[in-house]
Amino acid sequence: MLGTINLTNPSFPARDRMNDRMVVEAKYTGPSAYPAGGDVYVAGTDLPMGEVFGVYGTISNGSAVRIPFWDYTNQKLLFFVPNTGAEAAGDLSAFTGTLLFTGKG
């Protein structure tokens, strides 16, 4: 099950550019069952850009944070626990935050 990327937040423009990169900023809510190896997001379907290059930001449940990493080769969104470096596991549905995706049209 994928986490939820909310592109309808009126505070963020739906699409923007950073030099030659397309930028999408979205509110993210983690999935209830985070899969080992990350979630597959399809550029052009799940995200409004043709190719994703990276993701930046953090998600938090109020007392702990998870750090995102974009696996470019496999086009997967992974999360890691910052104090251990281990990949996140289990229920991340209480974790929310703003993520910035960069890529190209």
Side-chain angles (χ1 to χ4, degrees):
M1 180 173 184
L2 296 175
T4 304
I5 297 175
N6 180 353
L7 298 173
T8 62
N9 186 329
S11 300
F12 306 135
R15 296 171 72 163
D16 205 347
R17 293 197 179 272
M18 178 173 57
N19 197 7
D20 67 339
R21 302 284 190 245
M22 181 176 276
V23 177
V24 174
E25 190 170 29
K27 182 177 178 187
Y28 179 86
T29 301
S32 59
Y34 175 78
D39 274 331
V40 176
Y41 285 91
V42 179
T45 301
D46 299 315
L47 292 163
M49 58 180 63
E51 184 175 4
V52 177
F53 294 147
V55 62
Y56 308 92
T58 59
I59 59 173
S60 173
N61 67 1
S63 61
V65 298
R66 299 295 178 258
I67 306 297
F69 173 78
W70 185 254
D71 177 352
Y72 178 81
T73 302
N74 298 303
Q75 296 293 287
K76 291 184 175 185
L77 178 61
L78 293 94
F79 284 94
F80 291 90
V81 180
N83 59 331
T84 66
E87 185 178 359
D91 184 358
L92 297 183
S93 63
F95 287 79
T96 62
T98 301
L99 298 182
L100 179 74
F101 295 89
T102 62
K104 70 176 184 178

